[in-house]
Amino acid sequence: MKTLESRPIQANPLVFAIALGTGGLLSLMVHLNGELAQFGNPLFSSWVAHGTGTVAALVLLAVFYRIARKSGMNPPAPFWAYLGGISGAATVSLSSLTVNSPVGLPGTLALGLAGQLAFSFSADKWGLFGLPKRPLAGRDFVALALVLSGSTLIIFSSSI
């Protein structure tokens, strides 16, 4: 695997807007799944979320399949790429539990962000899942420490 010393940041405002929008959708998803878990349980919430996601994915697949087929853009996916549903199901179930706890929605999302950063740093360092290896820098640890500090403030300030 090749190693990257640094990654250039592309200053495309649309990419930043999409990323922010995705974060908003994630917050909405966690909230709605937590609400659904109150009327059933986290497993029920996960089943409903993934059932509606399956329907949406099938509709999108039907729409985009022809486009991809005509352009020849169907490279084979590696086996591990199909395992995302497992982590998705665990995420929905576990976040449905924590959002209905004293941690609440902001704490759940803040700690989730810290977990995402920690895992992505590991994936970059060791080149997991086909990513190019990237040595960790001090700023990576500072960023993680700041997110964890912010998570702590969010969780404990809401209980005061």
Side-chain angles (χ1 to χ4, degrees), residues 65-157:
Y65 178 73
R66 289 180 187 230
I67 296 169
R69 190 171 164 191
K70 286 179 183 177
S71 66
M73 294 174 26
N74 287 334
F79 169 74
W80 49 261
Y82 293 96
L83 301 177
I86 295 170
S87 62
T91 299
V92 170
S93 295
L94 296 174
S95 66
S96 295
L97 279 172
T98 59
V99 78
N100 291 316
S101 75
V103 172
L105 180 61
T108 297
L109 293 170
L111 289 173
L113 176 60
Q116 290 173 33
L117 277 175
F119 182 82
S120 64
F121 289 155
S122 300
D124 274 355
K125 174 160 180 52
W126 291 300
L128 303 177
F129 307 108
L131 290 170
K133 289 183 179 181
R134 182 182 74 86
L136 296 179
R139 69 178 183 272
D140 296 327
F141 296 105
V142 170
L144 183 57
L146 288 171
V147 170
L148 285 171
S149 300
S151 299
T152 303
L153 284 173
I154 288 169
I155 292 167
F156 290 116
S157 68

Side-chain angles (χ1 to χ4, degrees), residues 9-35:
I9 297 175
Q10 295 180 348
N12 183 344
L14 181 60
V15 172
F16 291 117
I18 290 170
L20 283 171
T22 301
L25 285 175
L26 179 64
S27 300
L28 180 63
M29 179 203 73
V30 169
H31 171 68
L32 294 176
N33 290 337
E35 287 290 316

Side-chain angles (χ1 to χ4, degrees), residues 5-62:
E5 290 303 317
S6 66
R7 293 182 181 172
I9 297 175
Q10 295 180 348
N12 183 344
L14 181 60
V15 172
F16 291 117
I18 290 170
L20 283 171
T22 301
L25 285 175
L26 179 64
S27 300
L28 180 63
M29 179 203 73
V30 169
H31 171 68
L32 294 176
N33 290 337
E35 287 290 316
L36 193 57
Q38 287 183 326
F39 294 99
N41 59 42
L43 186 60
F44 172 71
S45 174
S46 181
W47 274 100
V48 171
H50 285 85
T52 55
T54 299
V55 171
L58 289 173
V59 169
L60 288 172
L61 184 62

